[in-house]
Amino acid sequence: MSQANYQLSLVSLYNNNMITLTTNHHNALSENVGRKVFNRTYLLLNETKSLLLGDATRVDISSSDPPLLGDYSIDVLIVGSQFKLSATRKQFTTWGSNKYVRNFIVSTEYDDPIPNCTMNTTLDDVAHISHTCKTRKFWRSKRAFNALTSSFVNSFGRFKWLRKKKNPAGWICAQRRFVSSFVQVLDLYQQADDMYPDYLIVADDDTYVNMENITDFLLLGPQRLKEVRGGMIEDDNMYVPKPTSPTIYAGCRIRSGEGEEKFWTLPFGGYGIFLSQGALKRMTQPIHCGDDRSSTDRALETTTSAATEYEQAICEKYLHNYSSVQRGRYPFTATLGEEAYFQSGESLHRVFHKYVLDIDYLCIHSDWFFGYIANFLNVSRHVSQKGELPIMSNGKVVERSLFDEDEKAAHISVNRLHTIMSSELGGGKVEGNCPYGHTENKDEGVFRK
């Protein structure tokens, strides 16, 4: 990789000082974003108690500059290792230097909920955790054994597979770190007075993302479509809605089973997860149940009820107080046992903050967590089967996955995890960018491991 000249800003809030490390004279952190400029930052999560957010990180430039299709912001969360920070800095200076990237946040072992997790976890511990997670007894002890967690029992990493990894203990600890780091970032957004990005990308430290294709697909393409339609198109009628719509995308989606009882979709590890602003806000929205609902209802009584319907569904699921016979059945009733940590008035991200700190073993792969919150907690809207597709910069209309075109997809309530550019593994087919997960040519697809 060529050595890019860059200015690297690390924010250390232990002393509230901005530490600036500069190489050469070229400042790669000032790039045209519509009519604004981002002061891009590389942040170590464990040293960060607030983010540089919103208009405070943008500077007006000459209005004579040709405007782009909008002013957007993307934050990146990389779950990596203190021993591989060079890999994250390469990401930061390549695809992380895209003009839409606002904050580039790196999580390491210092962010593990269990202190010194990697150092203190032995190979015998890894074997014990794997064995425990591959038993139904574990999920029954959490009152969370269902068709979903049964599939997790069958799919959780076998010790034979784990011991072949370079660092089996590191892998075990990283699964919990993914979830805890994600909720920590949500904490920072919640404290920042509504300064959410348009999208948050969550990825590994060896993931490459073609940001030009991603921004065209998620941001510019949908805006072009609205402009072509004269603004007369609702988000519900778009396959890729605007960022304020609650949507979670998998860089490559795995699909298994058919019908409500056996169907599930999950992100395929290494391709990244993309959460819209609307999805991030759902995760941080307080959930009021029972008598505590009145204040929220009054505040929202003049609005359309998407937020309150979502709130009511979470209350029914977590309190086991179902409004219909259908809701008293799987898949609506499926949880990971996190309802034991829920109190009325709390948001989902606070529930999972307590869950990931307290649960003895996190018996899910980190990618499964994002599939779970998308499909079973309705943090993501349903995949729009007939929605119009965005227009890309080359004038082409992107494709949808073959499954999303199928009539059956519209009738599965847990079909809520979206896919980037029809990228899916399922039904014996490999579609979209999934084949390029291990290619050396980053121009072939959107992602590279």
Side-chain angles (χ1 to χ4, degrees):
M1 188 186 85
S2 62
Q3 294 297 315
N5 296 323
Y6 62 94
Q7 182 181 41
L8 195 61
S9 298
L10 298 102
V11 177
S12 172
L13 296 193
Y14 289 131
N15 54 15
N16 290 319
N17 290 328
M18 173 76 78
I19 305 169
T20 304
L21 307 177
T22 307
T23 67
N24 214 322
H25 65 278
H26 178 69
N27 180 2
L29 303 186
S30 297
E31 297 186 35
N32 189 356
V33 183
R35 289 188 295 273
K36 295 182 179 179
V37 176
F38 278 118
N39 298 314
R40 191 172 301 106
T41 55
Y42 176 104
L43 301 164
L44 297 175
L45 182 58
N46 67 296
E47 296 181 353
T48 303
K49 296 180 182 176
S50 67
L51 296 174
L52 301 181
L53 301 170
D55 289 337
T57 65
R58 302 182 184 184
V59 187
D60 287 334
I61 62 178
S62 171
S63 60
S64 63
D65 287 315
L68 299 179
L69 278 171
D71 295 324
Y72 296 108
S73 62
I74 294 175
D75 284 352
V76 177
L77 171 61
I78 298 296
V79 181
S81 169
Q82 60 183 313
F83 305 108
K84 294 174 62 180
L85 286 180
S86 60
T88 65
R89 293 191 181 189
K90 287 179 181 178
Q91 290 175 310
F92 176 70
T93 56
T94 53
W95 63 269
S97 67
N98 180 272
K99 57 195 169 190
Y100 294 111
V101 174
R102 183 179 67 172
N103 291 292
F104 191 93
I105 308 160
V106 178
S107 168
T108 70
E109 288 84 356
Y110 289 116
D111 300 292
D112 283 342
I114 301 174
N116 301 314
C117 179
T118 302
M119 293 178 60
N120 294 337
T121 302
T122 67
L123 198 58
D124 285 342
D125 293 331
V126 172
H128 176 70
I129 292 169
S130 175
H131 173 75
T132 300
C133 291
K134 294 191 71 63
T135 63
R136 298 180 177 185
K137 181 180 179 180
F138 171 82
W139 289 110
R140 287 194 174 114
S141 71
K142 309 302 176 188
R143 299 183 179 180
F145 183 69
N146 50 61
L148 177 67
T149 55
S150 177
S151 69
F152 291 170
V153 167
N154 296 329
S155 303
F156 192 85
R158 296 181 181 276
F159 178 62
K160 184 177 180 180
W161 173 74
L162 287 170
R163 71 183 305 170
K164 293 179 181 178
K165 291 185 169 293
K166 291 182 179 179
N167 187 354
W171 185 89
I172 288 289
C173 296
Q175 306 315 301
R176 195 182 294 251
R177 189 186 317 139
F178 258 92
V179 181
S180 65
S181 299
F182 173 62
V183 298
Q184 285 182 66
V185 170
L186 292 179
D187 262 341
L188 295 173
Y189 291 146
Q190 195 175 49
Q191 296 164 15
D193 193 24
D194 203 32
M195 292 299 184
Y196 293 78
D198 292 295
Y199 278 93
L200 171 68
I201 300 175
V202 183
D204 296 324
D205 60 6
D206 59 352
T207 298
Y208 176 90
V209 180
N210 185 323
M211 291 296 288
E212 286 69 29
N213 284 354
I214 283 294
T215 53
D216 251 13
F217 180 74
L218 293 179
L219 298 173
L220 306 183
Q223 185 166 328
R224 289 190 189 97
L225 180 60
K226 278 186 174 280
E227 291 178 353
V228 167
R229 299 288 182 267
M232 303 300 291
I233 181 171
E234 299 296 328
D235 271 5
D236 288 346
N237 296 325
M238 298 179 69
Y239 186 68
V240 180
K242 60 186 179 183
T244 51
S245 181
T247 319
I248 299 178
Y249 298 84
C252 175
R253 183 177 67 187
I254 305 174
R255 173 174 54 83
S256 179
E258 294 185 2
E260 289 280 78
E261 294 299 318
K262 296 182 179 180
F263 177 89
W264 52 260
T265 56
L266 298 169
F268 187 52
Y271 284 77
I273 298 109
F274 304 76
L275 299 102
S276 73
Q277 181 183 116
L280 298 174
K281 287 186 174 181
R282 278 203 171 175
M283 284 295 296
T284 57
Q285 172 189 331
I287 307 295
H288 296 272
C289 304
D291 295 338
D292 197 28
R293 285 186 55 80
S294 58
S295 60
T296 302
D297 289 341
R298 285 197 301 270
L300 297 174
E301 63 185 0
T302 60
T303 70
T304 57
S305 200
T308 52
E309 288 177 7
Y310 162 73
E311 189 176 21
Q312 181 180 350
I314 295 294
C315 290
E316 291 187 28
K317 177 188 283 280
Y318 281 179
L319 300 182
H320 309 292
N321 184 17
Y322 309 114
S323 60
S324 67
V325 173
Q326 187 62 34
R327 282 197 166 183
R329 299 172 179 166
Y330 182 88
F332 185 86
T333 57
T335 74
L336 304 181
E338 76 277 6
E339 69 270 26
Y341 300 89
F342 172 71
Q343 292 182 341
S344 183
E346 289 188 319
S347 62
L348 287 183
H349 91 286
R350 296 308 303 165
V351 171
F352 281 105
H353 174 77
K354 292 186 288 185
Y355 179 83
V356 79
L357 284 175
D358 185 69
I359 196 166
D360 38 9
Y361 304 119
L362 188 71
C363 288
I364 58 173
H365 294 198
S366 56
D367 300 302
W368 303 351
F369 167 77
F370 292 98
Y372 171 68
I373 64 172
N375 292 322
F376 290 85
L377 295 183
N378 297 2
V379 173
S380 182
R381 73 163 205 177
H382 199 279
V383 173
S384 181
Q385 180 200 12
K386 300 296 184 183
E388 291 195 61
L389 295 158
I391 301 169
M392 304 290 278
S393 58
N394 59 9
K396 295 181 180 178
V397 176
V398 297
E399 298 178 355
R400 58 170 59 84
S401 76
L402 296 176
F403 178 74
D404 289 346
E405 292 181 339
D406 196 310
E407 186 67 31
K408 292 180 291 187
H411 302 291
I412 299 176
S413 65
V414 290
N415 183 26
R416 293 176 173 272
L417 180 65
H418 299 238
T419 179
I420 299 285
M421 297 181 182
S422 70
S423 302
E424 182 176 78
L425 301 172
K429 298 181 177 64
V430 181
E431 301 180 63
N433 294 296
C434 292
Y436 305 120
H438 299 278
T439 182
E440 289 303 313
N441 183 0
K442 65 178 180 293
D443 296 323
E444 286 185 283
V446 178
F447 317 94
R448 178 168 63 87
K449 282 281 284 177

